[in-house]
Amino acid sequence: MTKSLIRAAHTERSRANMAKHYRRRKAEIVSMADAYSRRPWSVGEHLAVRQIADHALSTIDAIYRDMRAALDALHKD
């Protein structure tokens, strides 16, 4: 195998691994928010939990986007 083929294989494995972890963490956040939404809390507390979940989802989206950009820059030919 040439170095470029090896690098491409590593890049694809890295992307797949990163995407897998991203999907798992995102699913965990969504399931936790869903579980907390069924609690007998006041409206204010439900809104606070929803706001925290939304913030966590936007943060994980930003991290994933930045990691993909960094991976692309690292493996650029």
Side-chain angles (χ1 to χ4, degrees):
M1 278 181 122
T2 64
K3 285 186 179 183
S4 62
L5 288 176
I6 293 170
R7 189 177 324 131
H10 285 138
T11 301
E12 289 307 312
R13 275 197 307 255
S14 297
R15 276 196 185 120
N17 192 29
M18 191 172 20
K20 176 181 70 173
H21 288 296
Y22 167 74
R23 285 190 304 271
R24 284 182 181 171
R25 298 298 84 80
K26 193 169 182 175
E28 286 176 3
I29 294 167
V30 170
S31 67
M32 286 179 5
D34 184 47
Y36 281 113
S37 72
R38 294 189 296 268
R39 301 266 185 193
W41 292 340
S42 68
V43 172
E45 290 170 329
H46 279 286
L47 291 175
V49 169
R50 181 76 251 164
Q51 183 180 13
I52 290 167
D54 288 342
H55 184 283
L57 289 170
S58 65
T59 301
I60 199 167
D61 287 342
I63 290 169
Y64 179 66
R65 182 190 63 237
D66 292 347
M67 288 295 292
R68 281 190 55 105
L71 184 66
D72 289 343
L74 182 65
H75 293 285
K76 197 172 191 176
D77 286 339

